[in-house]
């Protein structure tokens, strides 16, 4: 267990001050662990004792990450909450045993799923994106979502990531004027990377056919310029993060995304012939609104009574601009050298983060059309992982980290804690396994229909349905890997995690090679197959660790990976029926046939769910007690 006053840091390729997630490898870089509470790093005294203990945790996200072979997602601050004490006195254990819940042991807080406002915002952007897809070609979509987005993300990352990590690692006692001067260096650096990468994108890489994707050159210039515009807000962003302006970040990003989506829809409908000009203008609007939100907020905040009351280090807007100080150094040289240290790592980290897109862009393994479809399907397929698995894994990672003592043999742990952890791990494995199986079984039969409803024939024809079917299977791997690594990284000692980080680094390069060969052999489906292989290796490692961990005890939590034979039979029958239903009724025979297919799927799903309730009674009790009951109490 982490000691009181210990930092949990991590060498994740995207590790920075802010809580950061990589798909199924979350880094608790900016969370300060007290015994029973979590405190943001910026609120902690710089003199607090630091123990360099690495802790990774499963998570999922929309952005691909090569350490996991999948995607990255942002961290929800709602998940960083203290746990609540269990109201139950006993926990049900295998073989009818029970163990008392001591007052000092805390149970799992309900996972922090998105709030209604967040759901509404995501639903709006989801609908706008779905509407846009019906007016675009695959090739245009591929150039925007892969080629130009990669240009923008690479320029921004290389220009600012090292500065963010260095400037947000300082304590409360610092010269903010020198830090702000250092942060403004991101702008000329961003100009350099935008110009250099723009030259590569225009003169080295393959240029799309102008008759299919018009105005490519203008798109490259606009996306490079948008990177520079976003960097103009870097001093504001760092200052806001350091002083925990969480709401500002949420509002700024929400407004910028909605503005971008709205403008894209309007221009795509009214002026479809504009091609990449549409997305260029939308991207520039996005970064402009983002920066403007921060500027307006600080313009109102600085000099206000609230800022004076909080003793805010900057008193006027001029203090956020570069300025020479007669009696102080222009730069904080300690932060400058730290920035240089982080900068030297940036290239490898960016390759690990955007590996799939670099393979697509520089090796030409699939055409622009397939790139666009793959990107859309990849984002759609990760929705379940983001909304269901991520909140569960966040909550239970903290549970395991607090119940078990990190790096200790199972015999040296308190046996009540071991029993509790084993029981929870077994049931949690079964829960995510059944969720993953349900998605894999029914996703195969409804992938084409889902894509047709979401994006029309552009997605539902060609490779789209096969991609989503494979991704449905991949979700099963994500589910199991999330929980197994959740336990593994919560109980490993620092040395064990260090060794595993090297294994993950090696797996990243193996994934690159496998992705190249599999995409040559099987097109864009090869990326998902490579992801499955990569995730399977990680699952095997975690299962081996869990087996060795509990080998000297009487507990066998890995039995959670073995569902009831009757339930397996129900899945097999449901899968067979829905696959035949898809062949007969979907998806080019009208809406009546589609409704019949949906009805058959609903009946099969209901039968499978009833079988689950009858055969997995222990799991049902676990879900009711740990999830539903606490939400019901919350609502009363």
């Amino acid at each position: 267990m982490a000691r009181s006053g210990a930092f949990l840091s991590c060498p994740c390729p995207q590790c920075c001050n802010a809580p950061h997630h990589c798909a199924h490898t979350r880094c608790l870089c900016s969370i300060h662990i007290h015994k029973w509470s979590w405190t943001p790093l910026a609120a902690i005294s710089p003199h607090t004792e630091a123990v360099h203990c690495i802790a990774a945790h499963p998570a999922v996200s929309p952005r691909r990450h090569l350490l996991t072979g999948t995607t990255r997602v942002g961290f929800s601050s709602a998940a960083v909450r203290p746990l609540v004490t269990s109201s139950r006195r006993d926990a049900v254990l295998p073989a009818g045993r029970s163990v008392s819940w001591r007052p000092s042991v805390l149970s799992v807080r309900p996972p922090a799923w998105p709030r209604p406002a967040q759901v509404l915002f995501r639903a709006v952007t989801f609908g706008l994106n779905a509407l846009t897809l019906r007016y675009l070609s695959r090739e245009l979509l591929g150039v925007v979502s892969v080629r130009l987005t990669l240009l923008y993300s690479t320029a921004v990352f290389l220009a600012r990531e090292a500065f963010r990590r260095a400037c947000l690692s300082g304590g409360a006692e610092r010269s903010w004027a020198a830090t702000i001067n250092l942060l403004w260096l991101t702008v000329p650096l961003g100009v350099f990377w935008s110009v250099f990468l723009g030259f590569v994108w225009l003169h080295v890489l393959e240029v799309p056919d102008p008759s299919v994707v018009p105005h490519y050159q203008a798109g490259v210039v606009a996306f490079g310029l948008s990177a520079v515009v976003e960097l103009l807000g870097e001093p504001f962003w760092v200052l806001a993060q350091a002083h925990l302006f969480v709401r500002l970040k949420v509002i700024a990003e929400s407004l910028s995304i909605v503005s971008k989506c709205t403008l894209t829809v309007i221009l795509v409908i009214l002026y479809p012939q504009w091609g990449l000009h549409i997305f260029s203008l939308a991207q520039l609007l996005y970064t402009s609104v983002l920066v403007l939100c921060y500027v307006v907020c600080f313009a109102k905040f600085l000099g206000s009574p609230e800022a004076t009351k909080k003793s805010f280090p900057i008193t006027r807007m001029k203090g956020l601009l570069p300025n020479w100080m007669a009696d102080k150094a222009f730069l904080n040289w300690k932060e400058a050298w730290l920035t240089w240290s982080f900068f030297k790592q940036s290239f490898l980290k960016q390759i690990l983060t955007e590996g799939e897109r670099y393979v697509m862009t520089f090796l030409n393994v699939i055409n622009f059309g397939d790139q666009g479809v793959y990107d859309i399907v990849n984002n759609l397929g990760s929705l379940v992982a983001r909304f269901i698995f991520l909140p569960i894994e966040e909550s239970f990672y903290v549970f395991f980290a607090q119940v078990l003592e990190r790096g200790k043999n199972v015999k040296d742990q308190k046996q009540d804690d071991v029993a509790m952890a084993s029981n929870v791990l077994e049931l949690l494995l079964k829960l995510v396994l059944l969720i993953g199986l349900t998605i894999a079984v029914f996703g195969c039969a409804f992938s084409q229909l889902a894509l047709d409803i979401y994006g029309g024939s552009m997605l539902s024809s060609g490779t789209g349905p096969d991609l989503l079917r494979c991704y449905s299977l991949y979700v099963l791997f994500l589910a199991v890997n999330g929980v197994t690594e959740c336990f593994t990284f919560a109980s490993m000692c620092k040395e064990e995690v260090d060794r595993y980080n090297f294994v993950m680094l090696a797996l990243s390069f193996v994934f690159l090679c496998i992705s190249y060969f599999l995409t040559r052999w099987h097109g864009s489906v090869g990326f998902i197959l490579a992801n499955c292989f990569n995730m399977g290796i990680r699952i095997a490692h975690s299962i081996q660790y869990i087996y060795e961990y509990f080998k000297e005890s009487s507990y066998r939590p890995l039995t959670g990976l073995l569902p009831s034979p009757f339930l397996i039979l129900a899945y097999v029958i449901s899968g067979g029926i829905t696959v035949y239903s898809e062949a007969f009724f979907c998806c080019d025979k009208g809406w009546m046939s589609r409704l019949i297919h949906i009805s058959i799927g609903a009946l099969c799903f209901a039968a499978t769910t009833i079988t689950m309730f009858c055969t997995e009674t222990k799991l049902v009790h676990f879900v009711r007690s740990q999830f539903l009951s606490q939400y019901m109490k919350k609502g009363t």
Side-chain angles (χ1 to χ4, degrees):
M1 182 184 299
R3 292 185 295 172
S4 176
F7 290 127
L8 295 183
S9 59
C10 177
C12 167
Q14 282 294 320
C15 179
C16 61
N17 72 289
H20 169 82
H21 290 244
C22 301
H24 288 76
T25 309
R26 174 165 68 85
C27 312
L28 302 178
C29 330
S30 66
I31 303 300
H32 181 267
I33 305 296
H34 291 285
K35 189 168 184 180
W36 302 124
S37 65
W38 291 33
T39 305
L41 182 59
I44 296 166
S45 166
H47 306 294
T48 307
E49 174 192 10
V51 178
H52 189 69
C53 176
I54 296 175
H57 167 60
V60 284
S61 74
R63 191 173 178 186
R64 280 167 295 280
H65 191 307
L66 208 38
L67 278 179
T68 64
T70 178
T71 52
R72 189 176 70 190
V73 65
F75 182 85
S76 170
S77 59
V80 187
R81 300 185 230 176
L83 302 176
V84 296
T85 305
S86 172
S87 59
R88 296 188 298 125
R89 298 300 303 170
D90 298 298
V92 180
L93 296 175
R97 298 177 59 188
S98 64
V99 58
S100 298
W101 290 71
R102 301 189 317 278
S104 60
V105 176
L106 304 179
S107 68
V108 182
R109 183 178 181 89
W113 278 292
R115 298 176 180 178
Q118 293 174 308
V119 173
L120 178 62
F121 164 71
R122 291 169 180 173
V124 169
T125 55
F126 185 83
L128 291 175
N129 288 331
L131 181 61
T132 304
L133 289 175
R134 299 180 181 276
Y135 295 88
L136 301 177
S137 66
R138 297 183 182 185
E139 290 73 18
L140 181 62
L141 185 63
V143 171
V144 172
S145 61
V146 178
R147 175 71 69 85
L148 295 182
T149 302
L150 182 63
L151 166 65
Y152 159 77
S153 64
T154 302
V156 168
F157 181 89
L158 294 178
R160 77 182 180 190
E161 189 65 18
F163 290 88
R164 283 188 172 186
R165 295 174 63 187
C167 294
L168 280 161
S169 61
E173 300 296 329
R174 70 161 85 185
S175 170
W176 272 104
T179 298
I180 289 171
N181 288 340
L182 180 64
L183 286 169
W184 277 107
L185 294 180
T186 60
V187 177
L189 194 59
V191 172
F192 166 77
W193 284 118
S194 295
V195 172
F196 174 75
L197 293 173
F199 178 83
V200 174
W201 258 239
L202 289 173
H203 300 287
V204 177
L205 299 178
E206 175 190 2
V207 176
D209 185 353
S211 62
V212 179
V213 184
H215 315 302
Y216 173 72
Q217 290 78 8
V220 170
V221 173
F223 274 74
L225 179 61
S226 70
V228 177
V229 172
E230 183 167 343
L231 293 171
L232 292 173
E234 197 60 20
F236 301 90
W237 187 92
V238 170
L239 197 62
Q241 286 294 106
H243 292 85
L244 304 179
F245 290 4
V246 178
R247 183 175 297 179
L248 170 60
K249 180 181 178 182
V250 173
I251 293 175
E253 292 182 354
S254 299
L255 287 177
S256 57
I257 292 173
V258 170
S259 302
K260 176 182 178 180
C261 291
T262 303
L263 180 63
T264 302
V265 170
I266 293 173
L267 294 181
V268 162
I269 294 175
L270 298 180
Y271 307 101
Q273 70 277 9
W274 283 14
L276 285 180
H277 282 329
I278 297 173
F279 296 94
S280 300
L281 292 173
Q283 180 66 20
L284 287 170
L285 177 65
Y286 166 78
T287 55
S288 300
V289 171
L290 186 65
V291 173
L292 189 61
C293 286
Y294 281 95
V295 173
V296 171
C297 175
F298 275 100
K300 292 185 175 182
F301 177 74
L302 296 180
S304 66
E306 183 182 0
T308 305
K309 181 180 178 181
K310 293 182 177 180
S311 301
F312 203 73
I314 306 297
T315 58
R316 52 181 182 166
M317 286 296 291
K318 188 177 179 181
L320 287 170
L321 298 175
N323 59 87
W324 293 93
M325 298 166 289
D327 55 337
K328 295 182 181 179
F330 181 72
L331 297 176
N332 184 328
W333 289 105
K334 179 180 178 181
E335 289 179 349
W337 283 111
L338 186 58
T339 300
W340 173 245
S341 299
F342 285 134
F343 183 75
K344 290 185 288 186
Q345 307 169 12
S346 297
F347 297 95
L348 176 60
K349 293 175 181 178
Q350 178 64 6
I351 292 174
L352 294 176
T353 305
E354 298 279 15
E356 289 179 0
R357 291 187 180 185
Y358 285 119
V359 171
M360 293 181 194
T361 300
F362 286 92
L363 300 181
N364 296 321
V365 289
I366 54 177
N367 58 45
F368 290 116
D370 287 342
Q371 288 180 24
V373 174
Y374 174 82
D375 190 73
I376 293 297
V377 170
N378 188 61
N379 289 333
L380 282 176
S382 64
L383 285 176
V384 175
R386 295 203 299 267
F387 289 117
I388 296 180
F389 299 143
L390 173 60
I392 292 175
E393 292 156 10
E394 285 175 345
S395 296
F396 282 94
Y397 173 84
V398 180
F399 171 79
F400 291 129
Q402 291 185 341
V403 168
L404 299 175
E405 295 189 55
R406 183 179 295 276
K408 272 196 175 184
N409 187 283
V410 68
K411 286 186 174 181
D412 299 328
Q413 306 264 8
K414 294 180 179 179
Q415 292 307 299
D416 284 357
D417 290 348
V418 174
M420 188 191 312
S422 173
N423 181 58
V424 171
L425 178 58
E426 176 187 346
L427 295 172
L428 195 59
L429 281 172
K430 185 158 291 185
L431 174 64
V432 296
L433 176 70
L434 295 184
I435 294 174
L437 278 173
T438 303
I439 294 170
V441 169
F442 290 94
C444 289
F446 287 89
S447 292
Q448 186 177 2
L449 179 60
L451 291 178
D452 191 65
I453 294 173
Y454 179 66
S457 59
M458 191 266 287
L459 290 180
S460 61
S461 60
T463 60
D466 289 336
L467 279 170
L468 192 54
R469 291 185 186 107
C470 289
Y471 206 101
S472 299
L473 176 63
Y474 178 51
V475 168
L476 176 59
F477 283 85
L478 287 176
V480 176
N481 179 72
V483 174
T484 54
E485 284 197 346
C486 168
F487 177 86
T488 298
F489 282 101
S491 57
M492 276 182 171
C493 65
K494 177 184 179 300
E495 291 72 20
E496 289 173 319
V497 181
D498 285 340
R499 288 196 298 269
Y500 186 51
N501 284 330
F502 285 107
V503 173
M504 291 176 66
L505 186 62
L507 281 176
S508 301
F509 291 104
V510 171
F511 171 77
L512 273 176
C513 298
I514 293 177
S515 297
Y516 175 77
F517 290 111
L518 287 180
T519 49
R520 286 290 186 186
W521 168 61
H522 213 280
S524 52
V525 175
F527 280 116
I528 300 179
L529 296 178
N531 285 331
C532 290
F533 171 82
N534 190 26
M535 203 61 65
I537 297 296
R538 296 179 64 178
I539 291 172
H541 174 274
S542 297
I543 287 178
Q544 175 65 23
Y545 176 86
I546 294 171
Y547 173 78
E548 294 292 336
Y549 187 87
F550 287 99
K551 184 170 63 174
E552 297 181 357
S553 72
S554 60
Y555 306 108
R556 297 294 179 264
L558 291 177
T559 56
L561 294 175
L562 302 174
S564 163
F566 290 104
L567 185 55
I568 294 176
L569 180 62
Y571 276 121
V572 172
I573 294 174
S574 296
I577 292 175
T578 51
V579 166
Y580 276 106
S581 173
E582 182 186 36
F584 282 106
F585 298 108
C586 193
C587 286
D588 55 355
K589 299 178 182 179
W591 274 103
M592 184 57 65
S593 296
R594 295 183 182 189
L595 290 175
I596 294 174
H597 177 52
I598 293 172
S599 301
I600 293 173
L603 289 174
C604 291
F605 178 77
T608 304
T609 304
I610 292 172
T611 306
M612 191 184 305
F613 270 82
C614 294
T615 58
E616 302 292 349
T617 55
K618 186 179 175 183
L619 175 63
V620 172
H621 175 71
F622 173 74
V623 172
R624 285 176 176 172
S625 61
Q626 289 295 335
F627 298 89
L628 300 181
S629 63
Q630 299 191 49
Y631 277 113
M632 290 173 64
K633 290 177 185 176
K634 209 171 166 185
T636 56

